[in-house]
Amino acid sequence: MERAENSMRNDPVRAAGVTITDLTFSYEEEREVLCGVTLRIEPGERFGIIGPSGAGKSTLLLHLNGILTPGRGTVEIGGLPVDRESIAEIRQKVGLVFQNPDDQLFNLTVEDDVAFGPLNLELSSEEVSACVEEALAEMNLLGFEELSSHHLSYGERKRVALATVLAMRPEVVAFDEPFSNLDPAMVEHLIDIIGSLPATVIIVSQSILPVIASCDRLAVLNRGRLVATGSTREIASDRALLRHCGLDFHFYCDVCHELNLLQGGTDV
Amino acid sequence: MERAENSMRNDPVRAAGVTITDLTFSYEEEREVLCGVTLRIEPGERFGIIGPSGAGKSTLLLHLNGILTPGRGTVEIGGLPVDRESIAEIRQKVGLVFQNPDDQLFNLTVEDDVAFGPLNLELSSEEVSACVEEALAEMNLLGFEELSSHHLSYGERKRVALATVLAMRPEVVAFDEPFSNLDPAMVEHLIDIIGSLPATVIIVSQSILPVIASCDRLAVLNRGRLVATGSTREIASDRALLRHCGLDFHFYCDVCHELNLLQGGTDV
Amino acid sequence: MHIADGIIAAEICLAADAVSIGALYAFGRKTEAEDIAVMGFMGAALFVASLIHFPIAGTSLHLGLFGLAGILLGIRAFPVVFTALLFQSLIFQHGGLLTLGLNAINMGAGAMAGWIVWKAGRIPENIRAFVAGFVGILLPASLMAVEFQLTGYGRGAVYIAYIYSIVAVVEGVLTLTIIGFFRRVKPDIIERSQR
Amino acid sequence: MKHSFLDRYSSLDSPIHRLDPRAKIVSFLAALLIIVSEPRGEVQSFLFYYVLIGALVWISRIPVRFLLKRCLIVAPIVLMAAGLMLVSGSPIAEGAIDHPHGGRALLSLSIALKAFAAVILLTLLTSTERFHRLLEGMRALKMPALLGVLSAFMYRYAFIISDEMLRTSRARLSRTPGRLNISRFTVYGHQAATIFVRSWERSQTVYNAMCSRGFTGRFPLRTALHFRPVDALFLISFTLVFVAVRIVI
Ligand SMILES: Nc1ncnc2c1ncn2[C@@H]1O[C@H](COP(=O)(O)OP(=O)(O)OP(=O)(O)O)[C@@H](O)[C@H]1O
Ligand SMILES: Nc1ncnc2c1ncn2[C@@H]1O[C@H](COP(=O)(O)OP(=O)(O)OP(=O)(O)O)[C@@H](O)[C@H]1O
Ligand SMILES: [Mg+2]
Ligand SMILES: [Mg+2]
């Protein structure tokens, strides 16, 4: 899985910032799913949004490339407001990895699916092949090219979904629960990849430990409101806040501790 | 979330053992997805099956209630072999929670979906209501009865999917990745529930920490083969084995350690 | 329901092809990019529905969903029906390539009839949905019977329409259920169709 | 539905597979037209047509069993038509009046022969070419653009729907010990509606995902079509042979 020199990583950084101002949205009239979310993400930052189930995280991400239209408020990508006119440009800049890989895969073979984005960018066929191979290698999917994406295991589909977006080399990559259904080795590898992407990265997740390992800053979303923003250290050590939002992960640490004791306290 | 006295938990334990003998299966001719899996799970045990993405875990589970038919080998639930004749009885005994909640929900409202199984068991309508309410309460879903599962977030659907199976009070509950896409508080709660189910519980997952916290024994599946079976302690401390299968989770522990240091080494 | 190649006289088929290709251009001209996704989906639904066979009265009948297509797509149902049929004939040998135009006219007429029924105001939505589904399949079957007669198959062809009235009831109920479900779960789809 | 179900044998390799899709589309369509326009009741020339088609099948290595299965699909309507003709048919539309005795029987026979020949030709066309290349060929032949894009969507969405069907039925089966109680048949209706709504939603998200990956209305093709002299040769000779049979016999 280790690949020393890698063209995607060596690209000059082309990253756009994201500014969300007073974003409010509701699917149905009564229930507001997002209320006045204001957030500024710097270019090139790794930004994590954590929050309990149903907090509105996925809904927030869908606003980033104009799939949902805000009830009130605005979203800007690299200074460009997301609206009807700019939508095509926005979608080239922002790569979205959906929570459910089945929402994302529609071509017959894994290779076609990954090649779809680069082909739309009208790259030459060698460049397309290079992008595709690189993305597949990143996701440990070499050998899957000819398989049908409908016949893969869930985790494999998840990886293909990640590869389809990585192959496009977007300026902003937004991941919705990237770590779920992946095995630990893959999670670790993905954290590496996230660390080296030449883009702004936004991660929405409930798997707190990998988010902590990969993000510079975190925001906490609870019932559609942003309840805290801060450096990863700050947020991760505010146990009261986390517990209040159902995000207290110390219980994982307990499991680890117990095991470390078992092993006679191996080195960390 | 705490509910002191709970009829499901106070039921006499009606748990069946599971015996899998030399199970072999392939979706397509060339690739064997399961090769000679032999496994014995005792009644009432909490048994975890871990393995990297694509190992064949979901495929194995689909054999437990006869959705897939083995190419070779047999599966027995409480001494009853899974085959055409016994299928009705088997499906009553075995509850399967699918990896993807969307695979599981197909009724108009959450309540209908949860009631679907109990109604099929031909219980009286009071019993059905009791089952449904209890299962919803367990999953922290009271108030969602009349919503349509199309309007829920992914994690909420995941909880509904769990409720649909718990409502049937099966003797064997098989969970496919129950912990993915749930927030930490819900994970902890689910581990509690799993601990108190009066049934044999089989958990298939890549989220190793919650599995360790909830299972008595573990088996490791890698590329369709069972490479190890043993007590949770044994398996979890065999780091070489785990690393070989891409399951080495110590990296999570590192994150925890780092954070604990930050907090000035709070009590564990 | 899907007439295969070689059954109806070639002249009738070719004339129908010409008409339906004209209609394809006429009805398909004003489609916007976003409509394409919905139309593609509806086409896939027609296509899959036609694969669900159930045995009735010695033959094997299948669903059509033309009424539903009419309700949801209006006039744009025609290109969708046409494409779905092209698909079926190419991939499943359901119907034929030369009879494509004829089949498209038959089933497109069903969809249009469904649409007209759906548009008839005042009547409760459920009833409109049921009737749209019902005529959506019965009309194509009747048209097919007429074409058989024109080619010289004699009066026996009328029975086709009788047999299909059973399917029409199933279709009506199904259309009603799906519309009811939409009303509950995705009302915006229905509102869109009533514009 | 398996993806290979649609163009299962398109990955085989044979001279027919290697032809340009445009050459195949035009020549097969011409052959189809010639066969279908054979006067009713005419059966001798079908001997030659079937020999020609048989040769194609042999060269293309498509299993005969598979072709026969495809013929079974149209069998009901063909048999119905042939049966109707036998029972109540009248040869008003075209000739064939000069067969006073065997008239109706010959008419039915010719209908069946035509229909099955057409099926085999079409099956050959679709199983010797990848589906998206076939679409590309049609587009190059000036098929309306809408048709091409719609087909491409349809093809993909068909999998989404059948996927949804498979999943919901697994879910229903898992929670249905024994047979579903007849009084609860509305479950089927809800299941159908769920499949419909859910695949609708999925098709929308998939479309969104496509847009976010730069989709602008045209499906990109990885390898361009390439019309070689061999393709022209096949197109001309194949069509001429059929025309010859039609005229001479
Ligand atoms: N299509 C929809 N129609 C109506 N309500 C919806 C819809 N999708 C989501 N919701 C509601 O909006 C809220 C936020 O949903 P969202 O999917 O953004 O949550 P989330 O934070 O991503 O949760 P999860 O971690 O479980 O995926 C939820 O309460 C959900 O019930
Ligand atoms: N319907 C199918 N047709 C063909 N192959 C399949 C099908 N489903 C799964 N496979 C293959 O079988 C293997 C095992 O799949 P399975 O879904 O059991 O894996 P898994 O262990 O559950 O993985 P994950 O953790 O990613 O869900 C995978 O390599 C997958 O590609
Ligand atoms: Mg979400
Ligand atoms: Mg799985």
Side-chain angles (χ1 to χ4, degrees), chain A residues 65 67 91 102-103 106-108 111 113 120 129 148 168, chain D residues 3 155-156 159 167 202 206 208 210-214 222:
Chain A
N65 71 352
I67 289 179
R91 285 186 173 157
D102 296 331
D103 288 346
F106 55 88
N107 277 294
L108 292 191
E111 188 171 20
D113 233 327
N120 279 328
S129 309
S148 154
M168 290 200 61
Chain D
H3 107 257
Y155 191 45
R156 289 171 170 83
F159 286 106
R167 292 155 181 229
R202 250 180 90 191
V206 163
N208 287 332
M210 286 167 73
C211 289
S212 56
R213 283 156 68 197
R222 287 200 81 173

PDB file of all heavy atoms in Angstrom, chain A residues 65 67 91 102-103 106-108 111 113 120 129 148 168, chain D residues 3 155-156 159 167 202 206 208 210-214 222:
ATOM      1  N   ASN A  65     -21.859  21.505  -2.906  1.00  0.00           N
ATOM      2  CA  ASN A  65     -21.808  21.608  -4.360  1.00  0.00           C
ATOM      3  C   ASN A  65     -23.192  21.770  -4.971  1.00  0.00           C
ATOM      4  O   ASN A  65     -23.458  21.352  -6.081  1.00  0.00           O
ATOM      5  CB  ASN A  65     -21.021  20.465  -4.995  1.00  0.00           C
ATOM      6  CG  ASN A  65     -21.731  19.161  -4.907  1.00  0.00           C
ATOM      7  OD1 ASN A  65     -22.758  19.072  -4.245  1.00  0.00           O
ATOM      8  ND2 ASN A  65     -21.229  18.150  -5.570  1.00  0.00           N
ATOM      9  N   ILE A  67     -26.185  20.621  -4.377  1.00  0.00           N
ATOM     10  CA  ILE A  67     -27.215  19.589  -4.549  1.00  0.00           C
ATOM     11  C   ILE A  67     -28.475  20.004  -3.798  1.00  0.00           C
ATOM     12  O   ILE A  67     -29.579  19.821  -4.273  1.00  0.00           O
ATOM     13  CB  ILE A  67     -26.687  18.221  -4.087  1.00  0.00           C
ATOM     14  CG1 ILE A  67     -25.635  17.744  -5.093  1.00  0.00           C
ATOM     15  CG2 ILE A  67     -27.803  17.212  -3.963  1.00  0.00           C
ATOM     16  CD1 ILE A  67     -25.012  16.436  -4.762  1.00  0.00           C
ATOM     17  N   ARG A  91     -18.953  22.359  -9.303  1.00  0.00           N
ATOM     18  CA  ARG A  91     -18.893  20.900  -9.245  1.00  0.00           C
ATOM     19  C   ARG A  91     -17.552  20.362  -9.708  1.00  0.00           C
ATOM     20  O   ARG A  91     -17.182  19.240  -9.370  1.00  0.00           O
ATOM     21  CB  ARG A  91     -20.036  20.308 -10.057  1.00  0.00           C
ATOM     22  CG  ARG A  91     -21.321  20.466  -9.295  1.00  0.00           C
ATOM     23  CD  ARG A  91     -22.502  19.805  -9.902  1.00  0.00           C
ATOM     24  NE  ARG A  91     -23.604  19.928  -8.946  1.00  0.00           N
ATOM     25  CZ  ARG A  91     -24.872  19.865  -9.273  1.00  0.00           C
ATOM     26  NH1 ARG A  91     -25.225  19.685 -10.519  1.00  0.00           N
ATOM     27  NH2 ARG A  91     -25.796  19.980  -8.351  1.00  0.00           N
ATOM     28  N   ASP A 102     -23.457   3.378  -2.664  1.00  0.00           N
ATOM     29  CA  ASP A 102     -24.404   3.045  -3.721  1.00  0.00           C
ATOM     30  C   ASP A 102     -25.009   4.285  -4.354  1.00  0.00           C
ATOM     31  O   ASP A 102     -25.574   4.219  -5.444  1.00  0.00           O
ATOM     32  CB  ASP A 102     -25.517   2.160  -3.174  1.00  0.00           C
ATOM     33  CG  ASP A 102     -24.952   0.846  -2.704  1.00  0.00           C
ATOM     34  OD1 ASP A 102     -23.936   0.411  -3.267  1.00  0.00           O
ATOM     35  OD2 ASP A 102     -25.508   0.272  -1.770  1.00  0.00           O
ATOM     36  N   ASP A 103     -24.900   5.412  -3.661  1.00  0.00           N
ATOM     37  CA  ASP A 103     -25.396   6.646  -4.252  1.00  0.00           C
ATOM     38  C   ASP A 103     -24.443   7.157  -5.315  1.00  0.00           C
ATOM     39  O   ASP A 103     -24.729   8.124  -5.996  1.00  0.00           O
ATOM     40  CB  ASP A 103     -25.536   7.734  -3.189  1.00  0.00           C
ATOM     41  CG  ASP A 103     -26.700   7.461  -2.280  1.00  0.00           C
ATOM     42  OD1 ASP A 103     -27.517   6.600  -2.643  1.00  0.00           O
ATOM     43  OD2 ASP A 103     -26.797   8.076  -1.218  1.00  0.00           O
ATOM     44  N   PHE A 106     -22.342   3.982 -10.615  1.00  0.00           N
ATOM     45  CA  PHE A 106     -23.400   3.689 -11.576  1.00  0.00           C
ATOM     46  C   PHE A 106     -22.860   3.097 -12.843  1.00  0.00           C
ATOM     47  O   PHE A 106     -23.613   2.757 -13.739  1.00  0.00           O
ATOM     48  CB  PHE A 106     -24.164   4.970 -11.910  1.00  0.00           C
ATOM     49  CG  PHE A 106     -23.249   6.045 -12.398  1.00  0.00           C
ATOM     50  CD1 PHE A 106     -22.945   6.144 -13.733  1.00  0.00           C
ATOM     51  CD2 PHE A 106     -22.666   6.897 -11.501  1.00  0.00           C
ATOM     52  CE1 PHE A 106     -22.059   7.109 -14.162  1.00  0.00           C
ATOM     53  CE2 PHE A 106     -21.781   7.851 -11.929  1.00  0.00           C
ATOM     54  CZ  PHE A 106     -21.481   7.967 -13.249  1.00  0.00           C
ATOM     55  N   ASN A 107     -21.558   3.004 -12.983  1.00  0.00           N
ATOM     56  CA  ASN A 107     -21.062   2.413 -14.215  1.00  0.00           C
ATOM     57  C   ASN A 107     -20.943   0.914 -14.044  1.00  0.00           C
ATOM     58  O   ASN A 107     -21.056   0.387 -12.956  1.00  0.00           O
ATOM     59  CB  ASN A 107     -19.725   3.031 -14.592  1.00  0.00           C
ATOM     60  CG  ASN A 107     -19.923   4.331 -15.324  1.00  0.00           C
ATOM     61  OD1 ASN A 107     -20.452   4.351 -16.424  1.00  0.00           O
ATOM     62  ND2 ASN A 107     -19.535   5.420 -14.696  1.00  0.00           N
ATOM     63  N   LEU A 108     -20.713   0.249 -15.159  1.00  0.00           N
ATOM     64  CA  LEU A 108     -20.753  -1.200 -15.093  1.00  0.00           C
ATOM     65  C   LEU A 108     -19.519  -1.789 -14.492  1.00  0.00           C
ATOM     66  O   LEU A 108     -19.577  -2.765 -13.769  1.00  0.00           O
ATOM     67  CB  LEU A 108     -20.973  -1.769 -16.487  1.00  0.00           C
ATOM     68  CG  LEU A 108     -22.350  -1.427 -16.975  1.00  0.00           C
ATOM     69  CD1 LEU A 108     -22.657  -2.207 -18.203  1.00  0.00           C
ATOM     70  CD2 LEU A 108     -23.356  -1.732 -15.902  1.00  0.00           C
ATOM     71  N   GLU A 111     -13.514   0.180 -13.329  1.00  0.00           N
ATOM     72  CA  GLU A 111     -12.658   1.059 -14.104  1.00  0.00           C
ATOM     73  C   GLU A 111     -13.471   2.175 -14.765  1.00  0.00           C
ATOM     74  O   GLU A 111     -13.093   3.345 -14.699  1.00  0.00           O
ATOM     75  CB  GLU A 111     -11.917   0.241 -15.160  1.00  0.00           C
ATOM     76  CG  GLU A 111     -10.877   1.056 -15.867  1.00  0.00           C
ATOM     77  CD  GLU A 111      -9.999   0.191 -16.740  1.00  0.00           C
ATOM     78  OE1 GLU A 111     -10.439  -0.932 -17.074  1.00  0.00           O
ATOM     79  OE2 GLU A 111      -8.897   0.625 -17.083  1.00  0.00           O
ATOM     80  N   ASP A 113     -16.179   3.402 -13.824  1.00  0.00           N
ATOM     81  CA  ASP A 113     -16.689   4.325 -12.829  1.00  0.00           C
ATOM     82  C   ASP A 113     -15.622   5.322 -12.430  1.00  0.00           C
ATOM     83  O   ASP A 113     -15.880   6.516 -12.330  1.00  0.00           O
ATOM     84  CB  ASP A 113     -17.161   3.539 -11.594  1.00  0.00           C
ATOM     85  CG  ASP A 113     -18.569   3.900 -11.238  1.00  0.00           C
ATOM     86  OD1 ASP A 113     -18.941   5.057 -11.455  1.00  0.00           O
ATOM     87  OD2 ASP A 113     -19.296   3.032 -10.766  1.00  0.00           O
ATOM     88  N   ASN A 120     -14.687  13.171 -18.202  1.00  0.00           N
ATOM     89  CA  ASN A 120     -15.491  14.382 -18.347  1.00  0.00           C
ATOM     90  C   ASN A 120     -14.639  15.639 -18.332  1.00  0.00           C
ATOM     91  O   ASN A 120     -15.056  16.675 -18.848  1.00  0.00           O
ATOM     92  CB  ASN A 120     -16.526  14.471 -17.226  1.00  0.00           C
ATOM     93  CG  ASN A 120     -17.723  13.612 -17.523  1.00  0.00           C
ATOM     94  OD1 ASN A 120     -18.080  13.436 -18.681  1.00  0.00           O
ATOM     95  ND2 ASN A 120     -18.327  13.055 -16.503  1.00  0.00           N
ATOM     96  N   SER A 129      -5.947   7.225 -18.036  1.00  0.00           N
ATOM     97  CA  SER A 129      -5.479   5.944 -17.502  1.00  0.00           C
ATOM     98  C   SER A 129      -4.583   6.152 -16.291  1.00  0.00           C
ATOM     99  O   SER A 129      -4.671   5.400 -15.316  1.00  0.00           O
ATOM    100  CB  SER A 129      -4.696   5.173 -18.556  1.00  0.00           C
ATOM    101  OG  SER A 129      -5.435   5.095 -19.734  1.00  0.00           O
ATOM    102  N   SER A 148     -17.733  -5.814 -11.773  1.00  0.00           N
ATOM    103  CA  SER A 148     -18.886  -4.918 -11.766  1.00  0.00           C
ATOM    104  C   SER A 148     -19.018  -4.306 -10.379  1.00  0.00           C
ATOM    105  O   SER A 148     -18.912  -5.006  -9.372  1.00  0.00           O
ATOM    106  CB  SER A 148     -20.126  -5.722 -12.111  1.00  0.00           C
ATOM    107  OG  SER A 148     -21.241  -5.101 -11.554  1.00  0.00           O
ATOM    108  N   MET A 168     -10.494  12.621  -9.617  1.00  0.00           N
ATOM    109  CA  MET A 168     -10.799  13.905 -10.251  1.00  0.00           C
ATOM    110  C   MET A 168      -9.920  15.039  -9.749  1.00  0.00           C
ATOM    111  O   MET A 168      -9.950  16.134 -10.278  1.00  0.00           O
ATOM    112  CB  MET A 168     -12.258  14.270 -10.010  1.00  0.00           C
ATOM    113  CG  MET A 168     -13.166  13.380 -10.764  1.00  0.00           C
ATOM    114  SD  MET A 168     -14.754  14.132 -10.934  1.00  0.00           S
ATOM    115  CE  MET A 168     -14.403  15.611 -11.824  1.00  0.00           C
TER     116      MET A 168
ATOM    117  N   HIS D   3     -24.891  -7.934 -14.307  1.00  0.00           N
ATOM    118  CA  HIS D   3     -24.571  -7.019 -15.395  1.00  0.00           C
ATOM    119  C   HIS D   3     -24.237  -7.801 -16.634  1.00  0.00           C
ATOM    120  O   HIS D   3     -24.500  -7.405 -17.743  1.00  0.00           O
ATOM    121  CB  HIS D   3     -23.469  -6.053 -14.980  1.00  0.00           C
ATOM    122  CG  HIS D   3     -22.135  -6.302 -15.581  1.00  0.00           C
ATOM    123  ND1 HIS D   3     -21.127  -6.878 -14.888  1.00  0.00           N
ATOM    124  CD2 HIS D   3     -21.663  -6.044 -16.821  1.00  0.00           C
ATOM    125  CE1 HIS D   3     -20.078  -6.975 -15.666  1.00  0.00           C
ATOM    126  NE2 HIS D   3     -20.358  -6.483 -16.836  1.00  0.00           N
ATOM    127  N   TYR D 155     -29.906   2.306 -18.974  1.00  0.00           N
ATOM    128  CA  TYR D 155     -29.079   1.132 -18.781  1.00  0.00           C
ATOM    129  C   TYR D 155     -28.547   1.097 -17.356  1.00  0.00           C
ATOM    130  O   TYR D 155     -28.603   0.084 -16.670  1.00  0.00           O
ATOM    131  CB  TYR D 155     -27.923   1.207 -19.772  1.00  0.00           C
ATOM    132  CG  TYR D 155     -27.113  -0.037 -19.888  1.00  0.00           C
ATOM    133  CD1 TYR D 155     -27.723  -1.276 -19.994  1.00  0.00           C
ATOM    134  CD2 TYR D 155     -25.730   0.027 -19.915  1.00  0.00           C
ATOM    135  CE1 TYR D 155     -26.976  -2.420 -20.117  1.00  0.00           C
ATOM    136  CE2 TYR D 155     -24.968  -1.115 -20.046  1.00  0.00           C
ATOM    137  CZ  TYR D 155     -25.595  -2.326 -20.146  1.00  0.00           C
ATOM    138  OH  TYR D 155     -24.837  -3.454 -20.274  1.00  0.00           O
ATOM    139  N   ARG D 156     -28.077   2.235 -16.892  1.00  0.00           N
ATOM    140  CA  ARG D 156     -27.507   2.272 -15.546  1.00  0.00           C
ATOM    141  C   ARG D 156     -28.605   2.165 -14.489  1.00  0.00           C
ATOM    142  O   ARG D 156     -28.474   1.426 -13.519  1.00  0.00           O
ATOM    143  CB  ARG D 156     -26.740   3.563 -15.362  1.00  0.00           C
ATOM    144  CG  ARG D 156     -25.481   3.547 -16.161  1.00  0.00           C
ATOM    145  CD  ARG D 156     -24.800   4.882 -16.186  1.00  0.00           C
ATOM    146  NE  ARG D 156     -23.490   4.758 -16.765  1.00  0.00           N
ATOM    147  CZ  ARG D 156     -23.237   4.748 -18.060  1.00  0.00           C
ATOM    148  NH1 ARG D 156     -24.235   4.843 -18.924  1.00  0.00           N
ATOM    149  NH2 ARG D 156     -22.016   4.628 -18.512  1.00  0.00           N
ATOM    150  N   PHE D 159     -30.016  -1.205 -13.455  1.00  0.00           N
ATOM    151  CA  PHE D 159     -29.297  -1.953 -12.421  1.00  0.00           C
ATOM    152  C   PHE D 159     -29.681  -1.478 -11.045  1.00  0.00           C
ATOM    153  O   PHE D 159     -29.815  -2.269 -10.123  1.00  0.00           O
ATOM    154  CB  PHE D 159     -27.796  -1.786 -12.588  1.00  0.00           C
ATOM    155  CG  PHE D 159     -27.282  -2.556 -13.737  1.00  0.00           C
ATOM    156  CD1 PHE D 159     -26.907  -1.926 -14.899  1.00  0.00           C
ATOM    157  CD2 PHE D 159     -27.220  -3.928 -13.671  1.00  0.00           C
ATOM    158  CE1 PHE D 159     -26.459  -2.642 -15.970  1.00  0.00           C
ATOM    159  CE2 PHE D 159     -26.771  -4.654 -14.738  1.00  0.00           C
ATOM    160  CZ  PHE D 159     -26.386  -4.012 -15.895  1.00  0.00           C
ATOM    161  N   ARG D 167     -32.531  -6.406  -2.941  1.00  0.00           N
ATOM    162  CA  ARG D 167     -32.326  -6.111  -1.527  1.00  0.00           C
ATOM    163  C   ARG D 167     -33.606  -6.166  -0.740  1.00  0.00           C
ATOM    164  O   ARG D 167     -33.664  -6.779   0.317  1.00  0.00           O
ATOM    165  CB  ARG D 167     -31.751  -4.720  -1.373  1.00  0.00           C
ATOM    166  CG  ARG D 167     -30.383  -4.594  -1.884  1.00  0.00           C
ATOM    167  CD  ARG D 167     -30.146  -3.171  -2.246  1.00  0.00           C
ATOM    168  NE  ARG D 167     -28.816  -3.003  -2.780  1.00  0.00           N
ATOM    169  CZ  ARG D 167     -27.985  -2.066  -2.366  1.00  0.00           C
ATOM    170  NH1 ARG D 167     -28.356  -1.233  -1.444  1.00  0.00           N
ATOM    171  NH2 ARG D 167     -26.801  -1.981  -2.892  1.00  0.00           N
ATOM    172  N   ARG D 202     -32.443   7.191  -5.401  1.00  0.00           N
ATOM    173  CA  ARG D 202     -31.069   6.812  -5.713  1.00  0.00           C
ATOM    174  C   ARG D 202     -30.684   7.328  -7.082  1.00  0.00           C
ATOM    175  O   ARG D 202     -29.571   7.792  -7.283  1.00  0.00           O
ATOM    176  CB  ARG D 202     -30.909   5.296  -5.666  1.00  0.00           C
ATOM    177  CG  ARG D 202     -30.074   4.866  -4.494  1.00  0.00           C
ATOM    178  CD  ARG D 202     -29.920   3.379  -4.457  1.00  0.00           C
ATOM    179  NE  ARG D 202     -28.758   2.926  -5.184  1.00  0.00           N
ATOM    180  CZ  ARG D 202     -28.535   1.655  -5.463  1.00  0.00           C
ATOM    181  NH1 ARG D 202     -29.388   0.742  -5.103  1.00  0.00           N
ATOM    182  NH2 ARG D 202     -27.452   1.302  -6.106  1.00  0.00           N
ATOM    183  N   VAL D 206     -27.571   9.584  -7.678  1.00  0.00           N
ATOM    184  CA  VAL D 206     -26.561   9.155  -8.644  1.00  0.00           C
ATOM    185  C   VAL D 206     -26.370  10.232  -9.700  1.00  0.00           C
ATOM    186  O   VAL D 206     -25.240  10.555 -10.067  1.00  0.00           O
ATOM    187  CB  VAL D 206     -26.970   7.819  -9.289  1.00  0.00           C
ATOM    188  CG1 VAL D 206     -26.193   7.568 -10.551  1.00  0.00           C
ATOM    189  CG2 VAL D 206     -26.738   6.689  -8.309  1.00  0.00           C
ATOM    190  N   ASN D 208     -26.857  13.386  -9.256  1.00  0.00           N
ATOM    191  CA  ASN D 208     -26.092  14.441  -8.597  1.00  0.00           C
ATOM    192  C   ASN D 208     -24.616  14.091  -8.521  1.00  0.00           C
ATOM    193  O   ASN D 208     -23.754  14.931  -8.758  1.00  0.00           O
ATOM    194  CB  ASN D 208     -26.614  14.672  -7.183  1.00  0.00           C
ATOM    195  CG  ASN D 208     -27.945  15.374  -7.200  1.00  0.00           C
ATOM    196  OD1 ASN D 208     -28.227  16.116  -8.128  1.00  0.00           O
ATOM    197  ND2 ASN D 208     -28.767  15.126  -6.209  1.00  0.00           N
ATOM    198  N   MET D 210     -23.049  12.200 -10.503  1.00  0.00           N
ATOM    199  CA  MET D 210     -22.492  12.319 -11.844  1.00  0.00           C
ATOM    200  C   MET D 210     -22.170  13.769 -12.154  1.00  0.00           C
ATOM    201  O   MET D 210     -21.109  14.084 -12.678  1.00  0.00           O
ATOM    202  CB  MET D 210     -23.483  11.792 -12.878  1.00  0.00           C
ATOM    203  CG  MET D 210     -23.598  10.304 -12.892  1.00  0.00           C
ATOM    204  SD  MET D 210     -25.008   9.749 -13.835  1.00  0.00           S
ATOM    205  CE  MET D 210     -24.468  10.065 -15.474  1.00  0.00           C
ATOM    206  N   CYS D 211     -23.109  14.644 -11.817  1.00  0.00           N
ATOM    207  CA  CYS D 211     -22.872  16.067 -12.065  1.00  0.00           C
ATOM    208  C   CYS D 211     -21.660  16.523 -11.290  1.00  0.00           C
ATOM    209  O   CYS D 211     -20.848  17.293 -11.794  1.00  0.00           O
ATOM    210  CB  CYS D 211     -24.073  16.892 -11.646  1.00  0.00           C
ATOM    211  SG  CYS D 211     -25.436  16.660 -12.738  1.00  0.00           S
ATOM    212  N   SER D 212     -21.542  16.049 -10.038  1.00  0.00           N
ATOM    213  CA  SER D 212     -20.399  16.542  -9.276  1.00  0.00           C
ATOM    214  C   SER D 212     -19.115  15.946  -9.810  1.00  0.00           C
ATOM    215  O   SER D 212     -18.044  16.337  -9.400  1.00  0.00           O
ATOM    216  CB  SER D 212     -20.569  16.304  -7.780  1.00  0.00           C
ATOM    217  OG  SER D 212     -20.780  14.967  -7.515  1.00  0.00           O
ATOM    218  N   ARG D 213     -19.216  15.017 -10.732  1.00  0.00           N
ATOM    219  CA  ARG D 213     -17.999  14.543 -11.370  1.00  0.00           C
ATOM    220  C   ARG D 213     -17.925  15.050 -12.815  1.00  0.00           C
ATOM    221  O   ARG D 213     -17.312  14.440 -13.674  1.00  0.00           O
ATOM    222  CB  ARG D 213     -17.936  13.023 -11.321  1.00  0.00           C
ATOM    223  CG  ARG D 213     -17.517  12.551  -9.931  1.00  0.00           C
ATOM    224  CD  ARG D 213     -17.960  11.169  -9.632  1.00  0.00           C
ATOM    225  NE  ARG D 213     -17.289  10.184 -10.448  1.00  0.00           N
ATOM    226  CZ  ARG D 213     -17.708   8.949 -10.613  1.00  0.00           C
ATOM    227  NH1 ARG D 213     -18.799   8.553 -10.020  1.00  0.00           N
ATOM    228  NH2 ARG D 213     -17.060   8.118 -11.344  1.00  0.00           N
ATOM    229  N   GLY D 214     -18.577  16.168 -13.061  1.00  0.00           N
ATOM    230  CA  GLY D 214     -18.359  16.858 -14.323  1.00  0.00           C
ATOM    231  C   GLY D 214     -19.231  16.410 -15.476  1.00  0.00           C
ATOM    232  O   GLY D 214     -18.975  16.756 -16.621  1.00  0.00           O
ATOM    233  N   ARG D 222     -14.201   5.609 -23.822  1.00  0.00           N
ATOM    234  CA  ARG D 222     -12.744   5.535 -23.649  1.00  0.00           C
ATOM    235  C   ARG D 222     -12.019   5.284 -24.962  1.00  0.00           C
ATOM    236  O   ARG D 222     -11.017   5.910 -25.247  1.00  0.00           O
ATOM    237  CB  ARG D 222     -12.391   4.448 -22.651  1.00  0.00           C
ATOM    238  CG  ARG D 222     -12.726   4.867 -21.262  1.00  0.00           C
ATOM    239  CD  ARG D 222     -11.972   4.074 -20.257  1.00  0.00           C
ATOM    240  NE  ARG D 222     -10.622   4.598 -20.096  1.00  0.00           N
ATOM    241  CZ  ARG D 222      -9.795   4.161 -19.163  1.00  0.00           C
ATOM    242  NH1 ARG D 222     -10.167   3.198 -18.374  1.00  0.00           N
ATOM    243  NH2 ARG D 222      -8.590   4.675 -19.038  1.00  0.00           N
TER     244      ARG D 222
END
